[in-house]
Amino acid sequence: MDTENQTETNSECDLTSKSCSTPNEYDGTKKAQSEQEQRLTLKMNKIRHKIAVISGKGGVGKSTVTVNLAMAFAMQGHKDKVGVLDADIHGPCIPKMLGLKGQTLIGGPGGMLFPVTGKLGMKVVSMDFLLPNDEAPVIWRGPLKMKIIQQFLSDVTWGDLDYLLVDLPPGTGDEPLSVMQLIPDMDGVVIVTMPSEVSEAVVKKSVTFAKQVGIPVIGIIENMSGFVCPDCGAKIDVFRAGGGKRIADDMTIPYLGSIPLDPKICNDSDGGLSFIVENKTSPATKAFLEIVEEIEQFLEHKEPSEKPAKPKST
Amino acid sequence: MDTENQTETNSECDLTSKSCSTPNEYDGTKKAQSEQEQRLTLKMNKIRHKIAVISGKGGVGKSTVTVNLAMAFAMQGHKDKVGVLDADIHGPCIPKMLGLKGQTLIGGPGGMLFPVTGKLGMKVVSMDFLLPNDEAPVIWRGPLKMKIIQQFLSDVTWGDLDYLLVDLPPGTGDEPLSVMQLIPDMDGVVIVTMPSEVSEAVVKKSVTFAKQVGIPVIGIIENMSGFVCPDCGAKIDVFRAGGGKRIADDMTIPYLGSIPLDPKICNDSDGGLSFIVENKTSPATKAFLEIVEEIEQFLEHKEPSEKPAKPKST
């Protein structure tokens, strides 16, 4: 174990600390870094809107929300024009939820990578596509995680997209910081929470995080909000209710809406089916479509005129 | 934002890469590190059993399980002899769940820190005790997180304890690696999952992680397993069922039991009440107490004779 951790520490040094290299190595590394940054900017300029989905707390259904928002965008006039980057390096769930398990990223000339394409022409990139099986953990410290996220942004042929949704792991550490730092003109973040007070306390940190790194908060979504017993129809607040709205009010950010707790969502996620495609009339689908409209309104407001590339958000 | 990230990168260099310091600084740092390691070993030697609670996936109720297991140990003959280290630096929930919000860690001579004491003499340490309010995020990369965890282990006067439970954030990155590396004789890990297949896939990674870093797997707990409608009594598998048992069978590790989904658990966590202390006869309490017995049996089997300090686990 000690040897392994030693390796980890060395990797950190190699990847982040320029003073650990000899001058020649340093020049070479610097050139490669600069070329990668240029590729990243070129790739990102071709994507109209970049939105990160975050939550302070894990397990609030952030990946489920990301997948269904992406599908909702695709269904509402953006077929073949939506991408999802699963930036959860340790626990990538997006491929399973989109029925893309077992697929791999195919490489092209010059280190190019092609995203996996799912239903409605969804472009998907995830660490999961690079792992041999479900049981393989990615035991990486932060700098290595930043490096792979950078590659996912700079070396993947995302193409011309209307929307790229970035699903981030919980917390305010390496992955969120890296994504916010790397994507040059992020439109904003969507914050997902669940109704419990414990979640509420942690999710507030995400709001402050977004404000501190200068990324606009598009709004907050409350997931797993109330449960209707399929046997008797009684409405039960399994995880209490109203936490999302309270955070929005307390921190003066937009409230995008609430998604009811529906066992079908979990079933469909497990089955790799897109819930909102399979259940077009359910209350949860209605909620997702309304939220997408809210997001589109936010983005229209944000940019009064048509533009091919935006200036850096502040 | 760039400035902030620059600072982050520099911190990584300072904290992990010895070659970034001048020789004198290096000697001083090395001496301080060695002294801290000695303090850590002394503190940890006074704690009979060290158990980490992990999960690949967030939001499976890991903190809830940790708090209730700790209380169960305290109730079953270990009053004043149980500690909880909340190693989730970005989203610390333990203080709220134990009704200890607003408390702070008090410092003593020589950089010593006193843990906060809760019900049944529970010793608790959490990043939350160092934050000015709920909204303050901890925007730290890995090396800084490792440093604070190290301080929590070496500089806190934990005293003579029978059990220290370490609640880790999800994933297999910096925090879990740091804890596994820092605690010299960890007894094992308890892995928490919820029944969905999506969780199952991610939690398997935790099992492999524990095996790869050479820490015994005490067993797996399935949380939020089935829901009984309080109105009509119908049993509904909100998040499906059986995922925990399947992982245990697939990966040949012990199955410790399942905790039913009970809205009271969420209410009590939010209210800072210990569920198992407040609801002594509920099925969930029964499940927690049975699991604690299983863990105790595992630990007895692990150590055939009485011993003050154990050799390093393999």
Side-chain angles (χ1 to χ4, degrees):
Chain A
M1 193 175 97
D2 289 332
T3 321
E4 182 165 354
N5 282 303
Q6 195 53 42
T7 314
E8 294 288 336
T9 311
N10 286 343
S11 306
E12 279 171 23
C13 176
D14 292 336
L15 294 170
T16 62
S17 163
K18 287 161 185 169
S19 59
C20 300
S21 318
T22 63
N24 273 352
E25 279 168 359
Y26 173 53
D27 285 348
T29 312
K30 208 177 161 190
K31 190 164 168 255
Q33 274 177 357
S34 153
E35 282 171 6
Q36 189 175 32
E37 276 163 25
Q38 280 173 23
R39 286 200 306 279
L40 191 148
T41 307
L42 278 173
K43 296 274 163 53
M44 291 299 111
N45 275 347
K46 293 171 81 180
I47 302 174
R48 196 168 171 77
H49 295 298
K50 279 84 88 179
I51 298 168
V53 184
I54 64 171
S55 76
K57 184 142 175 56
V60 298
K62 191 175 33 55
S63 299
T64 306
V65 168
T66 306
V67 160
N68 282 290
L69 286 181
M71 279 292 170
F73 277 120
M75 280 164 71
Q76 293 194 319
H78 303 281
K79 192 170 168 285
D80 302 318
K81 293 288 184 188
V82 181
V84 178
L85 170 59
D86 184 356
D88 191 337
I89 305 303
H90 300 301
C93 295
I94 298 285
K96 181 163 176 73
M97 290 183 175
L98 284 171
L100 299 172
K101 279 295 289 184
Q103 305 264 7
T104 48
L105 294 182
I106 308 292
M112 201 195 292
L113 284 169
F114 296 101
V116 170
T117 303
K119 273 181 204 153
L120 302 180
M122 188 82 57
K123 309 285 181 296
V124 186
V125 169
S126 169
M127 190 69 203
D128 188 63
F129 294 142
L130 300 171
L131 296 175
N133 58 52
D134 274 351
E135 294 161 24
V138 180
I139 310 178
W140 285 0
R141 290 187 184 269
L144 276 179
K145 291 189 271 184
M146 174 149 178
K147 203 165 167 63
I148 190 86
I149 291 173
Q150 196 164 17
Q151 273 189 289
F152 284 160
L153 293 168
S154 63
D155 299 347
V156 167
T157 57
W158 291 103
D160 294 299
L161 296 182
D162 292 339
Y163 292 96
L164 176 66
L165 300 185
V166 184
D167 182 36
L168 282 164
T172 51
D174 285 277
E175 296 91 326
L177 255 177
S178 300
V179 166
M180 302 302 174
Q181 179 187 7
L182 289 169
I183 299 186
D185 54 350
M186 179 78 79
D187 287 87
V189 296
V190 167
I191 297 173
V192 183
T193 186
M194 58 188 274
S196 74
E197 272 179 37
V198 168
S199 302
E200 193 181 329
V202 183
V203 169
K204 278 184 175 176
K205 294 184 198 301
S206 292
V207 179
T208 313
F209 169 77
K211 287 179 178 171
Q212 284 189 5
V213 297
I215 308 284
V217 177
I218 299 176
I220 194 156
I221 298 173
E222 181 174 280
N223 192 30
M224 307 194 215
S225 182
F227 173 71
V228 177
C229 174
D231 268 40
C232 70
K235 188 173 177 299
I236 307 136
D237 290 329
V238 180
F239 299 108
R240 313 189 82 191
K245 187 73 177 69
R246 265 196 307 274
I247 299 171
D249 291 346
D250 282 3
M251 305 196 75
T252 55
I253 52 167
Y255 184 62
L256 296 174
S258 64
I259 316 284
L261 182 60
D262 184 335
K264 268 195 204 139
I265 298 182
C266 180
N267 269 318
D268 284 353
S269 290
D270 276 358
L273 302 166
S274 173
F275 173 80
I276 75 158
V277 177
E278 304 290 324
N279 301 274
K280 291 205 172 68
T281 57
S282 86
T285 299
K286 197 167 160 274
F288 277 119
L289 294 174
E290 282 172 6
I291 287 169
V292 156
E293 269 175 42
E294 292 270 340
I295 295 174
E296 282 177 334
Q297 274 178 24
F298 174 94
L299 297 172
E300 270 169 36
H301 255 78
K302 202 172 153 265
E303 37 165 24
S305 58
E306 288 284 315
K307 45 89 235 190
K310 286 171 300 167
K312 191 173 163 71
S313 312
T314 52
Chain B
M1 194 173 96
D2 288 333
T3 323
E4 183 163 353
N5 283 301
Q6 195 54 41
T7 313
E8 294 289 336
T9 310
N10 286 343
S11 306
E12 280 170 25
C13 178
D14 292 336
L15 294 170
T16 62
S17 164
K18 287 163 185 168
S19 59
C20 299
S21 317
T22 64
N24 272 351
E25 280 167 1
Y26 174 53
D27 285 349
T29 312
K30 208 176 159 189
K31 189 164 168 258
Q33 274 175 357
S34 153
E35 282 171 6
Q36 189 174 31
E37 276 163 27
Q38 281 172 22
R39 284 201 306 277
L40 193 148
T41 307
L42 278 174
K43 296 274 163 54
M44 291 300 111
N45 275 346
K46 293 170 81 180
I47 302 175
R48 193 167 173 78
H49 295 298
K50 280 82 90 179
I51 298 169
V53 184
I54 65 171
S55 76
K57 185 141 174 57
V60 297
K62 191 174 33 55
S63 301
T64 306
V65 169
T66 306
V67 161
N68 282 290
L69 286 181
M71 279 292 169
F73 277 120
M75 280 164 71
Q76 294 194 317
H78 304 280
K79 191 169 169 286
D80 301 321
K81 293 288 184 188
V82 181
V84 178
L85 169 59
D86 184 358
D88 191 337
I89 305 302
H90 300 301
C93 294
I94 299 284
K96 183 165 174 70
M97 290 181 176
L98 284 172
L100 300 172
K101 280 294 290 184
Q103 306 265 7
T104 48
L105 294 182
I106 307 294
M112 200 195 292
L113 285 168
F114 296 101
V116 170
T117 303
K119 271 180 206 155
L120 303 180
M122 187 82 57
K123 309 284 181 298
V124 187
V125 169
S126 168
M127 190 69 202
D128 188 63
F129 294 141
L130 300 171
L131 297 175
N133 57 52
D134 275 351
E135 293 161 24
V138 179
I139 310 178
W140 285 0
R141 291 186 184 271
L144 276 180
K145 290 188 273 185
M146 173 150 178
K147 204 167 165 61
I148 190 88
I149 291 173
Q150 196 165 16
Q151 274 188 287
F152 285 160
L153 293 168
S154 63
D155 299 348
V156 167
T157 56
W158 290 102
D160 293 299
L161 297 181
D162 291 338
Y163 292 96
L164 175 66
L165 299 184
V166 185
D167 182 36
L168 282 163
T172 50
D174 285 277
E175 295 91 327
L177 254 177
S178 301
V179 166
M180 302 302 174
Q181 181 188 5
L182 290 169
I183 298 186
D185 54 349
M186 178 79 79
D187 287 86
V189 296
V190 167
I191 298 174
V192 183
T193 185
M194 57 187 274
S196 75
E197 273 180 34
V198 167
S199 303
E200 193 181 328
V202 183
V203 169
K204 278 184 174 176
K205 294 184 199 301
S206 292
V207 180
T208 313
F209 168 77
K211 287 180 177 171
Q212 284 189 7
V213 297
I215 308 284
V217 177
I218 298 176
I220 194 157
I221 297 174
E222 182 174 280
N223 192 30
M224 307 193 214
S225 180
F227 173 71
V228 178
C229 175
D231 268 39
C232 71
K235 188 173 177 298
I236 308 137
D237 289 329
V238 180
F239 299 109
R240 313 188 83 192
K245 188 74 179 67
R246 265 196 306 275
I247 300 171
D249 291 346
D250 283 3
M251 305 196 77
T252 55
I253 52 168
Y255 184 62
L256 296 175
S258 64
I259 316 284
L261 183 60
D262 184 335
K264 268 195 204 141
I265 298 182
C266 181
N267 270 318
D268 284 353
S269 290
D270 277 358
L273 301 167
S274 173
F275 173 80
I276 75 157
V277 177
E278 304 290 323
N279 302 272
K280 291 204 173 68
T281 57
S282 87
T285 298
K286 197 168 159 273
F288 277 119
L289 294 175
E290 282 172 6
I291 287 169
V292 156
E293 269 176 42
E294 292 270 340
I295 295 174
E296 282 178 335
Q297 274 178 23
F298 174 95
L299 297 172
E300 270 170 35
H301 255 78
K302 205 173 150 265
E303 38 165 25
S305 59
E306 287 285 314
K307 45 89 235 187
K310 285 173 300 169
K312 191 173 161 75
S313 312
T314 50

